[in-house]
Amino acid sequence: MKNKNTEKKDNNRRKFLQLGLLSGVSAIAGTTLVSNLSQDTEEEKKAVSGEMTKVLTPDGKLVEIPVESLNHYPEAHVSTKEARKGIPNRKFVMVIDLAKCKNARKCVEACQKGHNLDYNEEFMKVQLIQDNEQASPYWFPKPCFHCEEPPCVTVCPTGATFKREDNIVLIDNERCIGCKFCVTSCPYSARQFNWGHKDKFDNKEQAYSPETQLPASEGTVMKCDFCPDLLRAGELPYCAKSCPMGVIYFGDKNEDIVTNGEETVRFSELINDRGGYRHLEHLGTKPNVYYLPAVNRQFPLERGFNIDEDVIERYKKVPYVQDLKKKGKL
Amino acid sequence: MSEIVKKRVIDKKFVTILESTPNSSKIWIASLVLIILVGLYAFILQVLHGHEVTGMRDNVVWGVYIINFIFFVGISYSGAFISGILHFFDTPWKNAVSRIVEIITVLSLIIGPIFILLCIGRLDRLHYLFLYPRIQSPITWDIIAIMTDLVGCFIYLYLTFIPDFAILRDDEKLDVAPWRKKVYRFLAMNYQDTPEQKAILKKITRTMSAMIIAMAIVAYTVLAWIFSLTLQPGWNSSIFAPYFIIAGLYSGVGVIIICMFAVRKFFKLDLYIRKVHFIGAGVILLVLAMLYGYFTFSEYFPRWFSHKKNDVQLLDTLFSTYFWEFILANYIGVLVPVMILFFKRFRTINFITFAAVIAVLGLWLNRYLIVIPTLETPYLPIQDTRPEFIHYTATWIEWALSAAGIASFCLFFTLLVRFVPIIPVSELVESAQKSKIKVDQKRK
């Protein structure tokens, strides 16, 4: 996105938007594209007063630009009010291809980095599932399902958690009173609570937005958010972007397209042809995350154990893992 | 008129309770205050360090606090129910217990919701419940129901107090601090016990007694819905509302018996709170124990019989990790009271009180088993390495605050007993008058 912007050298505004952001608040540079595109024409119509100011470019040069071209930080920031509406005309969906997952945990790590989460805080969890004793176990990446009928939203007494037009379920942690009813009502255990204070909550460099969930706040709930800040920038969520196996497809149901970054496919065809299903369909929550069954697996399950000792311990109750341990293979 | 004034003097027995505070009572009050102070310290720690100091974590997000909440609100609900019935049907033996029941009702209804506040992560944002209310949320229903219930119970309790306040105001021999006299005067609202006032008061009390029964049922049903409207395997049950109501009545009658025993023992009111009252309450407890046992059975048996995967997971947890708790709560807590109360020769005051203690403790454990194991066995099994995220154990902070809750219940109960007669003296006067009239008629 940065490259695209700087390439268009004839467009002053774009360029200086970049400049302004980087010289002012360096960390936020990523979030502007989509929202700004729509505003460009209007803003460019504004009269130019001719007043000039000096700014520092990313590569250390001092340049003079018109004052009007300066991008002030809040433009990158999606306010809570905007965040409640969602991105127009989109219906985001995710498809997770269980046949390809080998528990590389890159999705977890990228998500943690992107959301400034600690080691044990995971919006995306990879669970080891064994449906029955005969069936072979498989790795099951589990984000928030952003249900069509989210029980968490129904039970929230203050409207702190909400469902947007673009399918995403978000939390406004400035509204959340921490009653934890949403946590108990989510059948997928997707939500986490900030039990104590952490230093990172004090980092006010970035203004809070429900779209980034940063900075997090003590005594409130957080969860996987489908990374709307990246979506606005025309990028894939952290998990989909970082998966080396292309397990996670993400896209728009309206356009009937999903992509894992390498291949782009029709959503409906993918679900029809590959037997796509939703987890715990019988609960009637209508998730927006679909799974492709773990058939014709591309990797032996054991490869998934090439991870931290601590994480392997999580799966100790799965019969298959107990079997492996008995045989001394783990 | 002079005759009425003559009779509007309190029995000596109650005068001593109201006038003096013996040393034993002072020690009792001091130790209660101490427990509450420890609880206060625990609360400050929780506010300073956040909920990290509790045993609650991401899977078990509700712990002992919410159990205490249901427990206390349950007691209050049953108090309202029983008191309402006593007044509505003008039960003959209501005099001995109605005041105790009413005090229990209001106190537990104040203490219960405090526990739900302890459960809330951002107390500083509590007013958001009113700023941004969402009527779809069962929590909003619960707030409305409990607040209505609280107001209703207060009005009702106050109505039953008015004639007593009038007597306390009029009794010139009563030697209490002048401020207390002033308070009595204010609270008596110029009630002079004229036949007209009496009729009005009786009418209002009767209406209110019917209303608080209804309000209590609504409030406790909504409370049960907080659990049963979710999709969790152990909670999503259609019988939860009536089950909670029976369970609440069961624990409530238990607490009433315990309080009757304590008041009788401590204030030597053997003449007023008699064995017949204990037997009456004991028989109600017996009926409720059987009903409660029946509901508990109806709750677990189908889960076991139809053995859906997630129900089996829950039952496995109940019968492994929580084996003894399950036995204590759902076998001992039902069968022992039933055994004691079923046989006539066991129906002594001490045995009945013992049965009540078992019932109350068993019921608290039963609530624990409804809340905690369910949260420990979600649809997707917990895969975590941190023990506190897999298994819930309450920390000393939670226990200290629970103890403080019980202590404040006892403290306020003790203080109220010292402030107003624990037996409605106005009713005693009235029933004495009634029996006198009867005797007169017979003589004629």
Side-chain angles (χ1 to χ4, degrees), chain A residues 127-128 153 155-156 173 176-178 180 184 193 195 217-218 310, chain B residues 50-52 58 62 119-122 125 132 134 137 232 381 383 385:
Chain A
Q127 296 208 268
L128 184 57
V153 172
V155 300
C156 179
N173 83 8
C176 176
I177 62 163
K180 308 165 198 159
T184 61
F193 191 74
W195 293 97
S217 159
E218 186 195 333
D310 179 53
Chain B
H51 282 213
E52 215 163 23
D58 278 347
W62 285 345
C119 214
I120 282 178
R122 293 299 292 252
R125 296 178 179 171
Y132 314 104
R134 275 184 82 255
S137 167
Q232 302 297 344
Q383 294 187 336
T385 43

PDB file of all heavy atoms in Angstrom, chain A residues 127-128 153 155-156 173 176-178 180 184 193 195 217-218 310, chain B residues 50-52 58 62 119-122 125 132 134 137 232 381 383 385:
ATOM      1  N   GLN A 127      -6.902 -25.735  17.670  1.00  0.00           N
ATOM      2  CA  GLN A 127      -7.225 -26.852  18.549  1.00  0.00           C
ATOM      3  C   GLN A 127      -7.008 -28.169  17.829  1.00  0.00           C
ATOM      4  O   GLN A 127      -6.997 -28.225  16.595  1.00  0.00           O
ATOM      5  CB  GLN A 127      -8.679 -26.731  19.019  1.00  0.00           C
ATOM      6  CG  GLN A 127      -8.887 -25.485  19.853  1.00  0.00           C
ATOM      7  CD  GLN A 127     -10.011 -25.636  20.866  1.00  0.00           C
ATOM      8  OE1 GLN A 127     -11.131 -25.314  20.580  1.00  0.00           O
ATOM      9  NE2 GLN A 127      -9.688 -26.114  22.053  1.00  0.00           N
ATOM     10  N   LEU A 128      -6.776 -29.209  18.603  1.00  0.00           N
ATOM     11  CA  LEU A 128      -6.650 -30.537  18.017  1.00  0.00           C
ATOM     12  C   LEU A 128      -7.957 -31.263  18.280  1.00  0.00           C
ATOM     13  O   LEU A 128      -8.358 -31.476  19.415  1.00  0.00           O
ATOM     14  CB  LEU A 128      -5.477 -31.292  18.656  1.00  0.00           C
ATOM     15  CG  LEU A 128      -5.182 -32.662  18.055  1.00  0.00           C
ATOM     16  CD1 LEU A 128      -4.899 -32.561  16.565  1.00  0.00           C
ATOM     17  CD2 LEU A 128      -4.005 -33.319  18.761  1.00  0.00           C
ATOM     18  N   VAL A 153     -23.954 -10.796  21.083  1.00  0.00           N
ATOM     19  CA  VAL A 153     -24.554  -9.479  20.846  1.00  0.00           C
ATOM     20  C   VAL A 153     -25.931  -9.396  21.501  1.00  0.00           C
ATOM     21  O   VAL A 153     -26.295  -8.382  22.092  1.00  0.00           O
ATOM     22  CB  VAL A 153     -24.642  -9.204  19.329  1.00  0.00           C
ATOM     23  CG1 VAL A 153     -25.432  -7.942  19.058  1.00  0.00           C
ATOM     24  CG2 VAL A 153     -23.252  -9.092  18.727  1.00  0.00           C
ATOM     25  N   VAL A 155     -27.019 -10.812  24.189  1.00  0.00           N
ATOM     26  CA  VAL A 155     -27.057 -10.730  25.649  1.00  0.00           C
ATOM     27  C   VAL A 155     -26.378  -9.485  26.214  1.00  0.00           C
ATOM     28  O   VAL A 155     -26.542  -9.180  27.390  1.00  0.00           O
ATOM     29  CB  VAL A 155     -26.421 -11.972  26.309  1.00  0.00           C
ATOM     30  CG1 VAL A 155     -27.153 -13.220  25.897  1.00  0.00           C
ATOM     31  CG2 VAL A 155     -24.943 -12.070  26.002  1.00  0.00           C
ATOM     32  N   CYS A 156     -25.637  -8.759  25.384  1.00  0.00           N
ATOM     33  CA  CYS A 156     -24.892  -7.607  25.905  1.00  0.00           C
ATOM     34  C   CYS A 156     -25.855  -6.540  26.431  1.00  0.00           C
ATOM     35  O   CYS A 156     -26.736  -6.082  25.714  1.00  0.00           O
ATOM     36  CB  CYS A 156     -24.009  -7.011  24.823  1.00  0.00           C
ATOM     37  SG  CYS A 156     -23.086  -5.580  25.409  1.00  0.00           S
ATOM     38  N   ASN A 173     -14.626  -1.353  23.544  1.00  0.00           N
ATOM     39  CA  ASN A 173     -14.184  -1.564  24.923  1.00  0.00           C
ATOM     40  C   ASN A 173     -14.307  -0.304  25.775  1.00  0.00           C
ATOM     41  O   ASN A 173     -14.012  -0.311  26.963  1.00  0.00           O
ATOM     42  CB  ASN A 173     -12.799  -2.211  24.991  1.00  0.00           C
ATOM     43  CG  ASN A 173     -11.647  -1.238  24.862  1.00  0.00           C
ATOM     44  OD1 ASN A 173     -11.818  -0.030  24.864  1.00  0.00           O
ATOM     45  ND2 ASN A 173     -10.453  -1.779  24.741  1.00  0.00           N
ATOM     46  N   CYS A 176     -17.916  -1.301  27.128  1.00  0.00           N
ATOM     47  CA  CYS A 176     -18.030  -2.587  27.837  1.00  0.00           C
ATOM     48  C   CYS A 176     -17.933  -2.388  29.346  1.00  0.00           C
ATOM     49  O   CYS A 176     -17.045  -1.707  29.829  1.00  0.00           O
ATOM     50  CB  CYS A 176     -16.917  -3.516  27.360  1.00  0.00           C
ATOM     51  SG  CYS A 176     -16.845  -5.087  28.213  1.00  0.00           S
ATOM     52  N   ILE A 177     -18.884  -2.995  30.090  1.00  0.00           N
ATOM     53  CA  ILE A 177     -18.828  -2.880  31.544  1.00  0.00           C
ATOM     54  C   ILE A 177     -18.215  -4.115  32.193  1.00  0.00           C
ATOM     55  O   ILE A 177     -18.097  -4.189  33.402  1.00  0.00           O
ATOM     56  CB  ILE A 177     -20.232  -2.625  32.162  1.00  0.00           C
ATOM     57  CG1 ILE A 177     -21.162  -3.803  31.874  1.00  0.00           C
ATOM     58  CG2 ILE A 177     -20.821  -1.329  31.660  1.00  0.00           C
ATOM     59  CD1 ILE A 177     -22.379  -3.817  32.779  1.00  0.00           C
ATOM     60  N   GLY A 178     -17.860  -5.095  31.374  1.00  0.00           N
ATOM     61  CA  GLY A 178     -17.179  -6.272  31.903  1.00  0.00           C
ATOM     62  C   GLY A 178     -18.069  -7.231  32.666  1.00  0.00           C
ATOM     63  O   GLY A 178     -17.637  -7.829  33.641  1.00  0.00           O
ATOM     64  N   LYS A 180     -19.252  -9.958  31.424  1.00  0.00           N
ATOM     65  CA  LYS A 180     -18.807 -11.285  30.956  1.00  0.00           C
ATOM     66  C   LYS A 180     -19.950 -12.177  30.499  1.00  0.00           C
ATOM     67  O   LYS A 180     -19.745 -13.371  30.279  1.00  0.00           O
ATOM     68  CB  LYS A 180     -18.010 -12.023  32.040  1.00  0.00           C
ATOM     69  CG  LYS A 180     -16.876 -11.218  32.622  1.00  0.00           C
ATOM     70  CD  LYS A 180     -16.394 -11.852  33.894  1.00  0.00           C
ATOM     71  CE  LYS A 180     -15.604 -10.896  34.723  1.00  0.00           C
ATOM     72  NZ  LYS A 180     -15.546 -11.292  36.119  1.00  0.00           N
ATOM     73  N   THR A 184     -19.865 -16.075  28.495  1.00  0.00           N
ATOM     74  CA  THR A 184     -20.560 -17.314  28.841  1.00  0.00           C
ATOM     75  C   THR A 184     -21.564 -17.704  27.761  1.00  0.00           C
ATOM     76  O   THR A 184     -21.915 -18.862  27.647  1.00  0.00           O
ATOM     77  CB  THR A 184     -21.326 -17.197  30.166  1.00  0.00           C
ATOM     78  OG1 THR A 184     -22.300 -16.161  30.037  1.00  0.00           O
ATOM     79  CG2 THR A 184     -20.416 -16.888  31.307  1.00  0.00           C
ATOM     80  N   PHE A 193     -11.116 -12.139  28.304  1.00  0.00           N
ATOM     81  CA  PHE A 193     -11.341 -11.032  29.222  1.00  0.00           C
ATOM     82  C   PHE A 193      -9.990 -10.525  29.705  1.00  0.00           C
ATOM     83  O   PHE A 193      -9.072 -11.303  29.916  1.00  0.00           O
ATOM     84  CB  PHE A 193     -12.178 -11.535  30.405  1.00  0.00           C
ATOM     85  CG  PHE A 193     -12.709 -10.440  31.293  1.00  0.00           C
ATOM     86  CD1 PHE A 193     -13.758  -9.644  30.881  1.00  0.00           C
ATOM     87  CD2 PHE A 193     -12.144 -10.212  32.532  1.00  0.00           C
ATOM     88  CE1 PHE A 193     -14.252  -8.644  31.692  1.00  0.00           C
ATOM     89  CE2 PHE A 193     -12.632  -9.207  33.358  1.00  0.00           C
ATOM     90  CZ  PHE A 193     -13.683  -8.417  32.927  1.00  0.00           C
ATOM     91  N   TRP A 195      -8.118  -9.646  32.530  1.00  0.00           N
ATOM     92  CA  TRP A 195      -8.341  -9.851  33.973  1.00  0.00           C
ATOM     93  C   TRP A 195      -7.599  -8.843  34.819  1.00  0.00           C
ATOM     94  O   TRP A 195      -8.051  -8.494  35.898  1.00  0.00           O
ATOM     95  CB  TRP A 195      -7.964 -11.277  34.362  1.00  0.00           C
ATOM     96  CG  TRP A 195      -8.889 -12.247  33.733  1.00  0.00           C
ATOM     97  CD1 TRP A 195      -8.682 -12.943  32.573  1.00  0.00           C
ATOM     98  CD2 TRP A 195     -10.209 -12.581  34.172  1.00  0.00           C
ATOM     99  NE1 TRP A 195      -9.791 -13.700  32.277  1.00  0.00           N
ATOM    100  CE2 TRP A 195     -10.732 -13.504  33.238  1.00  0.00           C
ATOM    101  CE3 TRP A 195     -10.978 -12.206  35.266  1.00  0.00           C
ATOM    102  CZ2 TRP A 195     -12.011 -14.043  33.374  1.00  0.00           C
ATOM    103  CZ3 TRP A 195     -12.241 -12.750  35.397  1.00  0.00           C
ATOM    104  CH2 TRP A 195     -12.751 -13.651  34.460  1.00  0.00           C
ATOM    105  N   SER A 217      -8.095  -2.705  27.164  1.00  0.00           N
ATOM    106  CA  SER A 217      -8.390  -2.040  28.423  1.00  0.00           C
ATOM    107  C   SER A 217      -8.770  -3.067  29.488  1.00  0.00           C
ATOM    108  O   SER A 217      -9.445  -4.059  29.190  1.00  0.00           O
ATOM    109  CB  SER A 217      -9.527  -1.049  28.156  1.00  0.00           C
ATOM    110  OG  SER A 217     -10.180  -0.727  29.332  1.00  0.00           O
ATOM    111  N   GLU A 218      -8.328  -2.815  30.701  1.00  0.00           N
ATOM    112  CA  GLU A 218      -8.589  -3.750  31.800  1.00  0.00           C
ATOM    113  C   GLU A 218     -10.093  -3.893  32.051  1.00  0.00           C
ATOM    114  O   GLU A 218     -10.838  -2.934  31.918  1.00  0.00           O
ATOM    115  CB  GLU A 218      -7.909  -3.244  33.074  1.00  0.00           C
ATOM    116  CG  GLU A 218      -8.009  -4.228  34.217  1.00  0.00           C
ATOM    117  CD  GLU A 218      -7.670  -3.602  35.556  1.00  0.00           C
ATOM    118  OE1 GLU A 218      -6.898  -2.629  35.580  1.00  0.00           O
ATOM    119  OE2 GLU A 218      -8.186  -4.100  36.570  1.00  0.00           O
ATOM    120  N   ASP A 310       5.257 -26.342  25.487  1.00  0.00           N
ATOM    121  CA  ASP A 310       4.140 -25.795  26.249  1.00  0.00           C
ATOM    122  C   ASP A 310       2.820 -25.912  25.476  1.00  0.00           C
ATOM    123  O   ASP A 310       1.771 -26.213  26.035  1.00  0.00           O
ATOM    124  CB  ASP A 310       4.467 -24.316  26.539  1.00  0.00           C
ATOM    125  CG  ASP A 310       3.365 -23.636  27.305  1.00  0.00           C
ATOM    126  OD1 ASP A 310       2.987 -24.173  28.344  1.00  0.00           O
ATOM    127  OD2 ASP A 310       2.887 -22.577  26.849  1.00  0.00           O
TER     128      ASP A 310
ATOM    129  N   GLY B  50      -7.538  -5.477  39.867  1.00  0.00           N
ATOM    130  CA  GLY B  50      -8.404  -6.064  38.855  1.00  0.00           C
ATOM    131  C   GLY B  50      -8.824  -7.471  39.232  1.00  0.00           C
ATOM    132  O   GLY B  50      -8.436  -7.994  40.284  1.00  0.00           O
ATOM    133  N   HIS B  51      -9.596  -8.074  38.352  1.00  0.00           N
ATOM    134  CA  HIS B  51     -10.143  -9.394  38.650  1.00  0.00           C
ATOM    135  C   HIS B  51      -9.092 -10.490  38.615  1.00  0.00           C
ATOM    136  O   HIS B  51      -9.402 -11.654  38.830  1.00  0.00           O
ATOM    137  CB  HIS B  51     -11.274  -9.702  37.685  1.00  0.00           C
ATOM    138  CG  HIS B  51     -12.549  -9.005  38.041  1.00  0.00           C
ATOM    139  ND1 HIS B  51     -13.787  -9.524  37.813  1.00  0.00           N
ATOM    140  CD2 HIS B  51     -12.770  -7.816  38.637  1.00  0.00           C
ATOM    141  CE1 HIS B  51     -14.718  -8.701  38.236  1.00  0.00           C
ATOM    142  NE2 HIS B  51     -14.117  -7.647  38.733  1.00  0.00           N
ATOM    143  N   GLU B  52      -7.857 -10.094  38.325  1.00  0.00           N
ATOM    144  CA  GLU B  52      -6.780 -11.076  38.328  1.00  0.00           C
ATOM    145  C   GLU B  52      -6.633 -11.736  39.696  1.00  0.00           C
ATOM    146  O   GLU B  52      -6.185 -12.872  39.791  1.00  0.00           O
ATOM    147  CB  GLU B  52      -5.467 -10.363  37.963  1.00  0.00           C
ATOM    148  CG  GLU B  52      -4.539 -11.204  37.160  1.00  0.00           C
ATOM    149  CD  GLU B  52      -3.473 -10.341  36.496  1.00  0.00           C
ATOM    150  OE1 GLU B  52      -3.205  -9.222  36.983  1.00  0.00           O
ATOM    151  OE2 GLU B  52      -2.920 -10.798  35.499  1.00  0.00           O
ATOM    152  N   ASP B  58     -10.592 -17.072  31.753  1.00  0.00           N
ATOM    153  CA  ASP B  58     -11.389 -16.977  30.541  1.00  0.00           C
ATOM    154  C   ASP B  58     -12.498 -18.026  30.376  1.00  0.00           C
ATOM    155  O   ASP B  58     -13.517 -17.734  29.777  1.00  0.00           O
ATOM    156  CB  ASP B  58     -10.477 -17.020  29.315  1.00  0.00           C
ATOM    157  CG  ASP B  58      -9.906 -15.649  29.050  1.00  0.00           C
ATOM    158  OD1 ASP B  58     -10.412 -14.683  29.647  1.00  0.00           O
ATOM    159  OD2 ASP B  58      -8.953 -15.526  28.271  1.00  0.00           O
ATOM    160  N   TRP B  62     -17.413 -16.675  35.564  1.00  0.00           N
ATOM    161  CA  TRP B  62     -18.287 -16.382  36.700  1.00  0.00           C
ATOM    162  C   TRP B  62     -17.952 -17.381  37.792  1.00  0.00           C
ATOM    163  O   TRP B  62     -17.939 -18.584  37.550  1.00  0.00           O
ATOM    164  CB  TRP B  62     -19.760 -16.541  36.306  1.00  0.00           C
ATOM    165  CG  TRP B  62     -20.275 -15.429  35.461  1.00  0.00           C
ATOM    166  CD1 TRP B  62     -19.693 -14.206  35.256  1.00  0.00           C
ATOM    167  CD2 TRP B  62     -21.486 -15.415  34.702  1.00  0.00           C
ATOM    168  NE1 TRP B  62     -20.472 -13.449  34.418  1.00  0.00           N
ATOM    169  CE2 TRP B  62     -21.573 -14.162  34.069  1.00  0.00           C
ATOM    170  CE3 TRP B  62     -22.498 -16.346  34.508  1.00  0.00           C
ATOM    171  CZ2 TRP B  62     -22.634 -13.822  33.243  1.00  0.00           C
ATOM    172  CZ3 TRP B  62     -23.550 -16.005  33.694  1.00  0.00           C
ATOM    173  CH2 TRP B  62     -23.622 -14.746  33.066  1.00  0.00           C
ATOM    174  N   CYS B 119     -18.760  -8.961  40.435  1.00  0.00           N
ATOM    175  CA  CYS B 119     -18.472  -9.763  39.253  1.00  0.00           C
ATOM    176  C   CYS B 119     -18.200  -8.885  38.029  1.00  0.00           C
ATOM    177  O   CYS B 119     -17.777  -9.370  36.996  1.00  0.00           O
ATOM    178  CB  CYS B 119     -19.689 -10.634  38.997  1.00  0.00           C
ATOM    179  SG  CYS B 119     -19.326 -12.211  38.329  1.00  0.00           S
ATOM    180  N   ILE B 120     -18.473  -7.608  38.150  1.00  0.00           N
ATOM    181  CA  ILE B 120     -18.387  -6.725  36.981  1.00  0.00           C
ATOM    182  C   ILE B 120     -16.996  -6.123  36.854  1.00  0.00           C
ATOM    183  O   ILE B 120     -16.428  -5.615  37.823  1.00  0.00           O
ATOM    184  CB  ILE B 120     -19.497  -5.656  37.067  1.00  0.00           C
ATOM    185  CG1 ILE B 120     -20.807  -6.299  36.638  1.00  0.00           C
ATOM    186  CG2 ILE B 120     -19.177  -4.449  36.207  1.00  0.00           C
ATOM    187  CD1 ILE B 120     -21.998  -5.424  36.714  1.00  0.00           C
ATOM    188  N   GLY B 121     -16.442  -6.226  35.654  1.00  0.00           N
ATOM    189  CA  GLY B 121     -15.060  -5.819  35.432  1.00  0.00           C
ATOM    190  C   GLY B 121     -14.852  -4.320  35.535  1.00  0.00           C
ATOM    191  O   GLY B 121     -13.809  -3.853  35.958  1.00  0.00           O
ATOM    192  N   ARG B 122     -15.836  -3.542  35.106  1.00  0.00           N
ATOM    193  CA  ARG B 122     -15.676  -2.088  35.112  1.00  0.00           C
ATOM    194  C   ARG B 122     -16.793  -1.450  35.930  1.00  0.00           C
ATOM    195  O   ARG B 122     -17.799  -0.993  35.393  1.00  0.00           O
ATOM    196  CB  ARG B 122     -15.708  -1.566  33.669  1.00  0.00           C
ATOM    197  CG  ARG B 122     -14.531  -2.006  32.830  1.00  0.00           C
ATOM    198  CD  ARG B 122     -13.216  -1.522  33.385  1.00  0.00           C
ATOM    199  NE  ARG B 122     -13.069  -0.097  33.290  1.00  0.00           N
ATOM    200  CZ  ARG B 122     -12.237   0.506  32.431  1.00  0.00           C
ATOM    201  NH1 ARG B 122     -11.496  -0.196  31.620  1.00  0.00           N
ATOM    202  NH2 ARG B 122     -12.162   1.813  32.414  1.00  0.00           N
ATOM    203  N   ARG B 125     -18.117   1.962  35.156  1.00  0.00           N
ATOM    204  CA  ARG B 125     -19.036   2.190  34.039  1.00  0.00           C
ATOM    205  C   ARG B 125     -20.425   1.636  34.313  1.00  0.00           C
ATOM    206  O   ARG B 125     -21.205   1.428  33.383  1.00  0.00           O
ATOM    207  CB  ARG B 125     -18.486   1.516  32.782  1.00  0.00           C
ATOM    208  CG  ARG B 125     -17.182   2.109  32.324  1.00  0.00           C
ATOM    209  CD  ARG B 125     -16.695   1.345  31.122  1.00  0.00           C
ATOM    210  NE  ARG B 125     -15.443   1.891  30.633  1.00  0.00           N
ATOM    211  CZ  ARG B 125     -14.715   1.314  29.703  1.00  0.00           C
ATOM    212  NH1 ARG B 125     -15.116   0.187  29.166  1.00  0.00           N
ATOM    213  NH2 ARG B 125     -13.587   1.870  29.309  1.00  0.00           N
ATOM    214  N   TYR B 132     -26.976   3.319  28.218  1.00  0.00           N
ATOM    215  CA  TYR B 132     -27.101   2.614  26.939  1.00  0.00           C
ATOM    216  C   TYR B 132     -27.827   1.289  27.125  1.00  0.00           C
ATOM    217  O   TYR B 132     -27.297   0.233  26.813  1.00  0.00           O
ATOM    218  CB  TYR B 132     -25.718   2.331  26.341  1.00  0.00           C
ATOM    219  CG  TYR B 132     -24.769   3.487  26.358  1.00  0.00           C
ATOM    220  CD1 TYR B 132     -23.737   3.553  27.284  1.00  0.00           C
ATOM    221  CD2 TYR B 132     -24.891   4.517  25.429  1.00  0.00           C
ATOM    222  CE1 TYR B 132     -22.849   4.615  27.296  1.00  0.00           C
ATOM    223  CE2 TYR B 132     -24.019   5.578  25.443  1.00  0.00           C
ATOM    224  CZ  TYR B 132     -23.005   5.625  26.378  1.00  0.00           C
ATOM    225  OH  TYR B 132     -22.132   6.668  26.385  1.00  0.00           O
ATOM    226  N   ARG B 134     -29.977  -2.000  26.712  1.00  0.00           N
ATOM    227  CA  ARG B 134     -30.492  -2.803  25.588  1.00  0.00           C
ATOM    228  C   ARG B 134     -31.541  -3.742  26.151  1.00  0.00           C
ATOM    229  O   ARG B 134     -31.215  -4.643  26.914  1.00  0.00           O
ATOM    230  CB  ARG B 134     -29.371  -3.602  24.930  1.00  0.00           C
ATOM    231  CG  ARG B 134     -28.630  -2.806  23.887  1.00  0.00           C
ATOM    232  CD  ARG B 134     -27.606  -3.669  23.201  1.00  0.00           C
ATOM    233  NE  ARG B 134     -28.172  -4.478  22.141  1.00  0.00           N
ATOM    234  CZ  ARG B 134     -28.394  -5.769  22.219  1.00  0.00           C
ATOM    235  NH1 ARG B 134     -28.134  -6.421  23.311  1.00  0.00           N
ATOM    236  NH2 ARG B 134     -28.897  -6.434  21.193  1.00  0.00           N
ATOM    237  N   SER B 137     -31.347  -7.698  26.219  1.00  0.00           N
ATOM    238  CA  SER B 137     -30.445  -8.478  27.060  1.00  0.00           C
ATOM    239  C   SER B 137     -31.131  -8.952  28.340  1.00  0.00           C
ATOM    240  O   SER B 137     -31.739  -8.157  29.048  1.00  0.00           O
ATOM    241  CB  SER B 137     -29.233  -7.634  27.424  1.00  0.00           C
ATOM    242  OG  SER B 137     -28.520  -8.257  28.462  1.00  0.00           O
ATOM    243  N   GLN B 232     -25.201 -22.972  26.534  1.00  0.00           N
ATOM    244  CA  GLN B 232     -24.302 -23.892  27.229  1.00  0.00           C
ATOM    245  C   GLN B 232     -25.005 -25.193  27.611  1.00  0.00           C
ATOM    246  O   GLN B 232     -26.146 -25.161  28.090  1.00  0.00           O
ATOM    247  CB  GLN B 232     -23.748 -23.235  28.496  1.00  0.00           C
ATOM    248  CG  GLN B 232     -22.993 -21.943  28.263  1.00  0.00           C
ATOM    249  CD  GLN B 232     -21.746 -22.114  27.422  1.00  0.00           C
ATOM    250  OE1 GLN B 232     -21.255 -23.217  27.235  1.00  0.00           O
ATOM    251  NE2 GLN B 232     -21.238 -21.024  26.886  1.00  0.00           N
ATOM    252  N   PRO B 381     -13.683 -28.476  23.867  1.00  0.00           N
ATOM    253  CA  PRO B 381     -12.966 -28.721  25.116  1.00  0.00           C
ATOM    254  C   PRO B 381     -11.808 -27.736  25.296  1.00  0.00           C
ATOM    255  O   PRO B 381     -11.157 -27.351  24.330  1.00  0.00           O
ATOM    256  CB  PRO B 381     -12.425 -30.146  24.925  1.00  0.00           C
ATOM    257  CG  PRO B 381     -13.285 -30.761  23.884  1.00  0.00           C
ATOM    258  CD  PRO B 381     -13.751 -29.653  23.006  1.00  0.00           C
ATOM    259  N   GLN B 383      -8.402 -26.390  25.663  1.00  0.00           N
ATOM    260  CA  GLN B 383      -7.046 -26.882  25.414  1.00  0.00           C
ATOM    261  C   GLN B 383      -6.095 -25.778  25.847  1.00  0.00           C
ATOM    262  O   GLN B 383      -5.852 -24.824  25.129  1.00  0.00           O
ATOM    263  CB  GLN B 383      -6.870 -27.259  23.945  1.00  0.00           C
ATOM    264  CG  GLN B 383      -7.745 -28.460  23.574  1.00  0.00           C
ATOM    265  CD  GLN B 383      -7.515 -29.002  22.183  1.00  0.00           C
ATOM    266  OE1 GLN B 383      -7.041 -28.301  21.308  1.00  0.00           O
ATOM    267  NE2 GLN B 383      -7.860 -30.264  21.978  1.00  0.00           N
ATOM    268  N   THR B 385      -2.740 -24.861  28.892  1.00  0.00           N
ATOM    269  CA  THR B 385      -1.774 -25.458  29.814  1.00  0.00           C
ATOM    270  C   THR B 385      -1.799 -24.772  31.172  1.00  0.00           C
ATOM    271  O   THR B 385      -1.216 -25.260  32.118  1.00  0.00           O
ATOM    272  CB  THR B 385      -0.343 -25.360  29.256  1.00  0.00           C
ATOM    273  OG1 THR B 385      -0.158 -24.065  28.715  1.00  0.00           O
ATOM    274  CG2 THR B 385      -0.108 -26.413  28.212  1.00  0.00           C
TER     275      THR B 385
END
